[in-house]
Amino acid sequence: MSLAASKGGIYAQSSDPLGDDISIVRQWLALGDKKITGIQLYQDLVLKSHPMQLELGIGNVCGLKCQHCFLGYESGATISPLIPMSTLLDTVTCMVEKLGTRMIAVVDRDALTPNRSIPFFEHIAKLRKTYPEIKFGGVTNGLLIDRYADDLERIKLDYLDISMEGVCDENDKIRGKGTFDLALKNLRIALARQLAERVIVATTLHRFNDDSIIRMIHQLIFEDGVQWFDIGILMAVKMQQYQLQQRDIVEFLNSLSQSLVPVKVSQPITILVEICAYCAAFIPALIDSGWLIPEQIRQDKYGHLYQNIHVNESVTITLRPELIPEYWRHTLRISSDGYVIGGCEPLTQKDYAQLAVGNIQIEPIQEIYRRVLSLESPFYHSMLAYNHSECREKACFAYCLGGDSLLAKSVYGNYHVKDPNCVWNEYKFQNLSMYANNFRLRRS
Ligand code: SF4
Ligand code: SF4
């Protein structure tokens, strides 16, 4: 499983705001220019925050032991018992009806968990009749799709992410022998029976599988007609020897796009590239290379930032930069045993409850969400970290803002040090792109 995988991708409209018209883009640039403080940002975001998105753990067993699995606890070894189904259903109903949640993504460990996933999906499908803008789905390792196909066909998820780690050799080295063939067989069932509006192949990029992912994308487009891919980046709390270096994501995007130029197919292909909170350290290189262009970033109605790059008439690469982490202000993550923890960063630790703001098995979610935004909450501290980051005087702070402070806190116990995904001292700009320079000049 990727961390949250695609969450269904982007729901774009031609009226989506662009560049400087998006408040998060303006705030990100202003923080980088040191024109606002983290406290000012906190005060502004508190007024606008609501959990538009929910990332929810539903089970604690997945059947695999992937080398890159970011979860800090063993399969089955959660701190508390699983959330009772009645609490799960009441919580999601309350979030939809009272807190305005409209995107529900089932994540750790596997979206297809016996006796839990189908009743949960059925419940959301009912809510979707009243609130048609709800989007929901989940990420699975693909091993059990055939067992759930009848139910999924009836429910019709908005999306289903199926995780694969490259072509057979690389996938099986990471996930275990035989897992590629099994996932492929089930991917074909999902496509043939249209088990979700969007059937998406989700993958985690690192130095071991970068070439293999490109080969896999070609294979699945031509042999199986896959139209959706989602590429997440390794969270380097495991497999550090394969951690991406500062310009690797740029090299990967260059290779991927060049390889796709000749691809002409009748159905559109979308490749989502997740630049989520813990990937902030890759943003300076993306800006420097001209891949990420602030004035071309848009925002969909679910709050996702995105930038489309059309490789040709058939293929679009969609970058999804968070710029400022979505957790707490926009997204809540709830572990399968009920801890409300914002993003997935705390889950990298055995003691993932350390940054929890409450547990839905003990308190209603509305009470917990009030505390989520309060002074001294992890949200407050992560905003404050922009003022105190050890990276504040580096040139790359302008776009990275010092990395993912919640991950730094989870791993090192300190919000102000740079996160483990930045394995360099400072990103040195090589040729800060013409677009990025022009954008800043026009704003100054
Ligand atoms: S399938 Fe997902 S949850 Fe299971 S071991 Fe692999 S990465 Fe971890
Ligand atoms: S050195 Fe700090 S500011 Fe620069 S890329 Fe790394 S984490 Fe970000």
Side-chain angles (χ1 to χ4, degrees):
M1 156 195 69
S2 315
L3 303 169
S6 73
K7 295 198 268 184
I10 297 299
Y11 292 89
Q13 294 175 315
S14 54
S15 56
D16 286 344
L18 182 66
D20 230 359
D21 291 336
I22 304 165
S23 62
I24 282 293
V25 172
R26 283 197 309 276
Q27 286 163 325
W28 164 66
L29 288 164
L31 275 172
D33 287 341
K34 300 180 187 134
K35 289 183 176 157
I36 62 169
T37 64
I39 299 296
Q40 287 169 308
L41 180 67
Y42 166 77
Q43 287 166 339
D44 187 64
L45 290 180
V46 159
L47 299 176
K48 298 177 187 157
S49 292
H50 78 104
M52 167 66 86
Q53 300 188 12
L54 168 63
E55 298 172 4
L56 182 72
I58 198 158
N60 62 13
V61 179
C62 79
L64 291 183
K65 287 188 175 174
C66 303
Q67 289 182 45
H68 65 287
C69 184
F70 75 95
L71 294 172
Y73 53 95
E74 295 302 312
S75 196
T78 39
I79 294 171
S80 300
L82 290 179
I83 309 164
M85 278 310 289
S86 58
T87 308
L88 201 56
L89 303 187
D90 288 349
T91 299
V92 78
T93 303
C94 175
M95 290 189 71
V96 168
E97 292 182 345
K98 304 277 181 1
L99 299 177
T101 301
R102 291 294 179 269
M103 182 168 281
I104 299 148
V106 177
V107 285
D108 3 295
R109 282 192 183 261
D110 197 295
L112 300 180
T113 294
N115 306 319
R116 291 174 67 81
S117 302
I118 296 304
F120 183 72
F121 287 144
E122 281 172 336
H123 183 76
I124 308 178
K126 263 193 217 149
L127 285 168
R128 186 173 55 183
K129 286 192 181 140
T130 310
Y131 301 93
E133 65 279 24
I134 285 179
K135 302 287 180 198
F136 73 100
V139 53
T140 174
N141 59 27
L143 303 187
L144 298 181
I145 289 173
D146 48 344
R147 293 194 209 164
Y148 292 89
D150 290 345
D151 286 320
L152 294 178
E153 192 171 33
R154 175 172 47 80
I155 294 167
K156 193 78 173 210
L157 305 177
D158 291 294
Y159 76 93
L160 181 63
D161 287 316
I162 301 172
S163 54
M164 300 170 89
E165 307 304 333
V167 291
C168 188
D169 278 358
E170 283 75 23
N171 179 86
D172 283 10
K173 272 189 189 121
I174 295 166
R175 316 200 84 164
K177 203 163 166 40
T179 53
F180 182 84
D181 288 343
L182 201 47
L184 183 60
K185 179 191 83 141
N186 281 330
L187 168 65
R188 288 173 176 160
I189 291 173
L191 290 166
R193 296 182 62 177
Q194 297 184 317
L195 299 186
E197 203 61 50
R198 296 176 175 179
V199 173
I200 301 175
V201 172
T203 192
T204 303
L205 171 70
H206 41 77
R207 282 197 149 193
F208 179 69
N209 69 351
D210 47 352
D211 290 342
S212 187
I213 285 177
I214 294 175
R215 281 183 279 129
M216 177 189 76
I217 289 172
H218 282 259
Q219 178 184 325
L220 294 178
I221 289 173
F222 286 113
E223 294 180 13
D224 295 287
V226 174
Q227 287 182 259
W228 291 89
F229 297 91
D230 185 75
I231 300 174
I233 293 173
L234 178 74
M235 184 189 261
V237 291
K238 286 182 185 158
M239 282 178 80
Q240 281 96 345
Q241 72 272 34
Y242 298 121
Q243 161 67 353
L244 297 182
Q245 302 298 307
Q246 47 187 318
R247 286 186 64 86
D248 282 358
I249 181 78
V250 170
E251 304 303 333
F252 173 79
L253 288 171
N254 289 344
S255 302
L256 175 67
S257 59
Q258 278 160 21
S259 80
L260 290 168
V261 168
V263 170
K264 300 266 164 43
V265 285
S266 53
Q267 301 289 329
I269 310 289
T270 303
I271 300 173
L272 303 154
V273 179
E274 307 291 342
I275 318 292
C276 40
Y278 71 90
C279 299
F282 298 105
I283 293 179
L286 287 167
I287 297 269
D288 195 23
S289 61
W291 269 98
L292 187 64
I293 300 170
E295 61 187 335
Q296 292 185 12
I297 294 172
R298 309 196 78 131
Q299 186 172 40
D300 77 0
K301 64 179 178 175
Y302 295 94
H304 286 295
L305 300 175
Y306 67 97
Q307 182 192 323
N308 286 333
I309 294 117
H310 300 292
V311 174
N312 60 31
E313 283 172 11
S314 309
V315 182
T316 302
I317 293 176
T318 301
L319 304 181
R320 301 217 300 177
E322 279 194 27
L323 304 184
I324 289 171
E326 290 173 356
Y327 40 72
W328 306 119
R329 68 179 173 88
H330 175 277
T331 301
L332 280 189
R333 191 145 179 150
I334 304 182
S335 64
S336 58
D337 51 353
Y339 290 99
V340 179
I341 52 165
C344 51
E345 289 77 354
L347 291 171
T348 60
Q349 306 302 304
K350 246 189 188 130
D351 178 17
Y352 50 88
Q354 58 168 318
L355 287 172
V357 174
N359 189 311
I360 61 167
Q361 301 203 48
I362 297 167
E363 277 179 288
I365 187 67
Q366 279 173 293
E367 291 299 316
I368 297 173
Y369 197 63
R370 268 191 267 280
R371 280 206 308 282
V372 156
L373 301 178
S374 65
L375 283 174
E376 298 307 318
S377 64
F379 173 59
Y380 169 79
H381 283 292
S382 61
M383 295 295 108
L384 204 65
Y386 291 129
N387 294 11
H388 301 292
S389 166
E390 67 175 22
C391 293
R392 201 167 157 80
E393 300 312 318
K394 299 174 185 175
C396 43
F397 180 87
Y399 297 110
C400 165
L401 307 180
D404 181 352
S405 58
L406 197 65
L407 185 62
K409 170 69 178 169
S410 302
V411 175
Y412 302 129
N414 185 341
Y415 285 103
H416 304 153
V417 297
K418 68 188 171 96
D419 72 61
N421 287 293
C422 180
V423 291
W424 47 94
N425 186 42
E426 179 172 358
Y427 178 81
K428 302 276 186 208
F429 289 95
Q430 297 177 6
N431 50 344
L432 189 59
S433 79
M434 196 173 62
Y435 292 113
N437 269 332
N438 286 347
F439 187 72
R440 276 192 185 273
L441 282 175
R442 270 202 294 282
R443 296 179 66 252
S444 56

